Amino acid sequence: MNSFFSEYRTRFLKLIEQSELDAHEREVPEFDNPAMGTPDTLVCVRIRPMTDQEKENEHIQGVFEHAKGVVHLYEPRRRTNGKPEVNNSSFTLDEAYGPNDSTEDIYSNCVSELVEWGLQGGTGMLIAYGQTGSGKTFTVTGLEILLVEKMIEAQVSGTKEVRVCIFEVSGSKVLDLLNERNPLAVREDAFGTMQLNGVLEYSPKTSNEFFELIDTAKTLRTTASTTKNDESSRSHSICRMRIIDKESATADEGRIMLVDLAGSEASADTTQHSRERMTETREINKSLSVLKECISKRAQWSIARSEGKQKPIHVPYRTNKLTQVLKSAFDVHNTQTCKTIVVACITPSVLDVAHSKNTLRYAETLKVPIPKAEAMPFHEQIPITWSNKDVHEWILKNSGNPNINPKLLAPRDTGIQLCRLDQDEFIRRALLTKGVEHKQANLLYLRLWSLHIDSRALLNRPGGSVEQIKALQPKTNEVRKKIVKPGMFFNIRAGEMDQTVTCVMAMGEEKGGNGTWHCAVVRMAKDCKYSGAHELYVAEQVGVNVGRLDDELTLVYDSKTRYYYME
C-alpha cells in the first residue's frame, strides 16, 4: 500500500481536496443533529494533528471533521484495472474536533459539565479510545490537568474533599499504580457497589501534589513497543476521584472516572507479535467489546425509562474486569445519576484510514439513536410537542417566584428533551438561577412530569395519535370551554366586581345552560389577627358568566381559626 500511495500521492491529494470541497458546498448550515437528545451518553471524535514524522514522509490527511459531529473519511483504493480511486465514508457522532481544536475546547464544551455533575453528587466517566498512537493518553492527560484545577478549587473552598486512586486493568488483573503495582481484589458489597480491596487513596491538597500522583502512575503503567508507537499502552488505566461533601454527611458521594483504554491495533500491526502479545491483544479486544455492550445497554435503558417503558435490559458488566470496576457508570440499579463521555481518537493520515474507520464504527455503535416519532402539532398539554420557545414560555409561566431562568434550565432543549432530563440534572440546572431553592425546582419538575404522564396516558389510549391531537386543538375563533364545578374558587377579572372581593366560589350553574354561575364572594378577613385569612360569604351570591372567571385558585379551610387560606 505504501508504494502504491507514493506512486499516486498527487492523484490522491487532488481527489480528496475535490471531495472535501464538494462536501462543504453540500452542507446545510441549519442542520440539526438529532443525536444530541441522547440522555446520558455523549460520543465525540478527536482528530489529532499530523506528527513531524508524518509530515516528513509526506503523508496527506484522510479524515476531516464537519459540522454537527459529522466526520468524512477518504480511503485510497486500487481498481481492478490498477487505477487509483478514493472511497468516501461518512460517520455521525455527537461532537467532532479537528486538528485545530485544542484540549481546552473539548474540556469547555463537554468535560466541564461532567465535572460539575460529579461535584453535585453524580457519577461521571470519560473514556478515551482509539488506535495506538492516536493521542489517547495525550488527550486524557490534558483533560486531567484542566480537571485537577477545578477539583483543587473545590477543596480550597472547604466544601469538598477529593480522594484519588489510579489503577490499571491488564487482562484479569487489577493493579494499583500508586502502590508499586500491588494486586487488587474486586468485590461487590451488600449494596451492589464494586469495591477495590487494598487500593491506596490520596487526598492531594495542591495541583502539584495531584500531578505527582499522575506522573507516578504513568511510570508504572504497562507499555510495550508496537509498529505505531515505541511506548504503546497495553493496559486500561483508570483514574478514579471520589468527591465527598464535607458540609452534609447524608449527601451522595460524587465520582469521576477518567479511563485511558489500551491502544487498539490492526491485524497487520500484530504479525510480529509473540504468543504472549497475541493473547494480550485478544484480551484487550474482548474487554473493549464488552465495554461497548455495557455503554449501549445503559443508553437504551435510559431512553426506555424516559419514555415510560418497563422493558428489562441486562447490562453484562460482570463479563470482564474492566466493566466490573466501572460498574457504577452504567449500572441501571444505581441510585446515582450517571453520565458518560466517549472520545474516539483518530490518526489523520490517509495511510491509517482503515483503522480509523474501525474506530469510528466502534464509536458510532455507542451512540444509541433515539426512536423517531411522527411529528406532532403543538398542544399546550402535551410537552413532547413543545419547541424550545414553547418550553421557555411554560417555564416562565409555571416556575413561581423568583422565575427560573429558562435559558439556564433549557438552553436548547425541546419539550421531549426536557422530559428526558434526569430529575437531578433538571434540579441542578434550575438551581443555577439565583434565589431558586431546591423545593421550588423540584416542584417544577414534578409539575412537568405530571403533565407528561397525563398526556402520555391520552396518547396511549385506543385511537391516540397525531390526528387525535389535532382534534383536541381549539378551533379558530372558538373559546375553549372552562371546566367549572361547585366548590371551585376562581379569580375575577379586574374591574368586574367590588374591589373588596378577593375571589369567588362556584355554587351552581343557572338553569338553561347559558354559562352563568351562582358564586359566593370571598373577602379578606377584617380585624383578624391571622395573616392571609379569608372569609367566605355564602349568603352573598352573584351571577358570573363563565367567560369572566379567570385562573382557578386553591383555598384551604382551617377548622381551628375558621378561616380560608390561599395555598
Side-chain angles (χ1 to χ4, degrees), residues 95-159:
E95 296 285 351
Y97 301 95
N100 295 325
D101 293 312
S102 65
T103 303
E104 288 78 6
D105 295 329
I106 300 176
Y107 179 84
S108 59
N109 292 342
C110 303
V111 183
S112 60
E113 182 179 354
L114 195 71
V115 175
E116 291 296 335
W117 190 258
L119 290 172
Q120 295 296 327
T123 296
M125 179 168 66
L126 172 74
I127 297 176
Y129 167 77
Q131 176 187 6
T132 296
S134 60
K136 298 183 307 303
T137 303
F138 175 85
T139 298
V140 172
T141 302
L143 292 174
E144 278 179 334
I145 293 172
L146 296 170
L147 187 146
V148 162
E149 296 175 356
K150 188 69 175 180
M151 294 294 102
I152 297 300
E153 179 184 321
Q155 285 205 144
V156 170
S157 67
T159 60

Side-chain angles (χ1 to χ4, degrees), residues 12-168:
F12 287 135
L13 182 60
K14 289 181 179 179
L15 288 173
I16 292 174
E17 287 178 346
Q18 184 59 48
S19 298
E20 270 297 282
L21 183 62
D22 295 341
H24 281 291
E25 290 178 352
R26 291 193 304 268
E27 279 185 359
V28 181
E30 299 301 323
F31 171 72
D32 185 22
N33 186 2
M36 295 304 292
T38 306
D40 53 17
T41 305
L42 185 71
V43 184
C44 312
V45 60
R46 184 183 195 183
I47 306 167
R48 68 159 172 78
M50 288 278 194
T51 64
D52 293 337
Q53 184 178 359
E54 287 169 340
K55 293 177 181 178
E56 183 180 339
N57 293 331
E58 296 186 323
H59 289 203
I60 60 176
Q61 187 171 342
V63 188
F64 299 84
E65 85 283 5
H66 286 251
K68 303 298 182 182
V70 176
V71 177
H72 288 176
L73 181 145
Y74 302 95
E75 186 174 10
R77 306 292 292 178
R78 186 197 300 269
R79 294 181 181 177
T80 54
N81 60 7
K83 293 183 179 180
E85 65 176 4
V86 172
N87 286 357
N88 181 12
S89 301
S90 181
F91 300 86
T92 303
L93 305 177
D94 294 314
E95 296 285 351
Y97 301 95
N100 295 325
D101 293 312
S102 65
T103 303
E104 288 78 6
D105 295 329
I106 300 176
Y107 179 84
S108 59
N109 292 342
C110 303
V111 183
S112 60
E113 182 179 354
L114 195 71
V115 175
E116 291 296 335
W117 190 258
L119 290 172
Q120 295 296 327
T123 296
M125 179 168 66
L126 172 74
I127 297 176
Y129 167 77
Q131 176 187 6
T132 296
S134 60
K136 298 183 307 303
T137 303
F138 175 85
T139 298
V140 172
T141 302
L143 292 174
E144 278 179 334
I145 293 172
L146 296 170
L147 187 146
V148 162
E149 296 175 356
K150 188 69 175 180
M151 294 294 102
I152 297 300
E153 179 184 321
Q155 285 205 144
V156 170
S157 67
T159 60
K160 307 288 183 182
E161 180 184 359
V162 181
R163 299 179 183 175
V164 182
C165 65
I166 305 177
F167 54 93
E168 74 171 9

